[in-house]
Amino acid sequence: MPDNQTIKKDKKYKFTPLEKRFIKIYLLLAVFYSIVSVYLLNTPIDEWVFNLGQYNNQLLQWLPRAQYWVNISVAYREKMILLYVLYQGIFWFIFVSTIGIFIKDWAWYKENAIYLTRERVRKKYLMVCYIFFLGLLLFVTIFLNIFEGSNFYMLYDQLDKVGRNNDILRWNSVYGFIFNRWALGSLSYSATFYFIVSILTTKILFTNNLNKGE
């Protein structure tokens, strides 16, 4: 466990080899998902390679919440089913593997996680608030990933009533959709990673009885 003097030096944090490897994997997955999205959203569903559109009914039976995305997009509708399934796989892979990185290198993180927090904000009760904020952010990220949209098929006039036609940038333009998925996917990693780091940092601060009286 780091002592007071070691912590005060504000040692520079370095990524572990496992972190570096998985960050590269996440970036490759983001590029892959972007390419697939551009192709599928710009190509008529009947002209998709391997006639992938024929699997929509099976995918809806397997993951009925894919209907949520169908009801969010006015422009692409059923094209969203395959992209939903692919995105869910990537999202949960990032979430689970981020936790797995901590499990694999747990001893190292217990010694070095505190260096991810700037020295001037390493205060016990400030970190407690930080844990609460990141926990809430992580909950919202997972909640939006699962429940964004509606679970029954909505007609165009129904979509208009709930404002879907106004949500053009996020769900009805190719690059707006890709950016939106990049943002939420990166939150899956960063919120999970820093939530665990903040818990470890706070534990170190309290265990070592640092910044007394603050």
Side-chain angles (χ1 to χ4, degrees):
M1 191 68 64
D3 56 29
N4 293 15
Q5 290 184 346
T6 304
I7 293 174
K8 288 180 180 179
K9 289 180 180 179
D10 201 18
K11 176 182 174 182
K12 185 177 180 181
Y13 179 87
K14 294 182 179 180
F15 290 110
T16 68
L18 194 60
E19 278 182 283
K20 292 179 181 178
R21 189 177 309 134
F22 271 90
I23 287 174
K24 290 178 182 177
I25 292 173
Y26 299 155
L27 291 174
L28 287 173
L29 286 173
V31 171
F32 170 73
Y33 190 79
S34 300
I35 293 172
V36 171
S37 297
V38 170
Y39 170 76
L40 294 182
L41 296 180
N42 282 321
T43 305
I45 196 168
D46 293 334
E47 297 178 14
W48 283 359
V49 65
F50 305 127
N51 193 20
L52 294 173
Q54 67 178 317
Y55 300 107
N56 271 358
N57 288 332
Q58 293 96 311
L59 291 174
L60 275 176
Q61 292 176 1
W62 179 44
L63 283 176
R65 288 198 176 101
Q67 189 69 64
Y68 283 95
W69 281 24
V70 173
N71 290 319
I72 286 179
S73 177
V74 177
Y76 302 119
R77 303 292 274 163
E78 285 78 9
K79 286 184 176 183
M80 287 289 176
I81 297 174
L82 186 62
L83 291 175
Y84 174 90
V85 174
L86 181 60
Y87 176 80
Q88 289 296 320
I90 294 174
F91 183 95
W92 291 109
F93 171 77
I94 293 174
F95 180 76
V96 172
S97 61
T98 302
I99 297 175
I101 291 171
F102 277 93
I103 294 174
K104 175 65 171 59
D105 294 331
W106 186 250
W108 188 92
Y109 283 110
K110 286 198 298 183
E111 296 292 333
N112 295 277
I114 195 169
Y115 302 116
L116 273 168
T117 307
R118 292 183 180 274
E119 185 176 354
R120 64 175 177 269
V121 296
R122 291 174 192 161
K123 313 298 181 184
K124 293 178 182 177
Y125 300 106
L126 183 61
M127 290 304 302
V128 171
C129 294
Y130 193 45
I131 290 174
F132 174 78
F133 170 77
L134 285 174
L136 183 62
L137 179 63
L138 183 58
F139 172 79
V140 171
T141 301
I142 295 174
F143 183 84
L144 286 177
N145 176 64
I146 298 175
F147 297 110
E148 194 170 27
S150 174
N151 62 355
F152 65 91
Y153 192 84
M154 300 174 70
L155 302 176
Y156 280 99
D157 58 343
Q158 294 173 309
L159 291 169
D160 190 46
K161 289 178 182 177
V162 296
R164 299 299 182 208
N165 284 309
N166 297 324
D167 202 7
I168 299 300
L169 181 60
R170 286 179 58 199
W171 293 101
N172 300 297
S173 66
V174 175
Y175 296 104
F177 169 77
I178 292 173
F179 177 80
N180 182 262
R181 296 302 92 194
W182 268 60
L184 197 59
S186 63
L187 273 179
S188 173
Y189 168 77
S190 57
T192 305
F193 184 85
Y194 286 103
F195 178 66
I196 299 175
V197 165
S198 64
I199 292 175
L200 287 173
T201 299
T202 305
K203 181 179 182 298
I204 291 171
L205 292 174
F206 277 94
T207 301
N208 287 273
N209 203 24
L210 299 179
N211 48 71
K212 277 186 175 181
E214 297 179 13

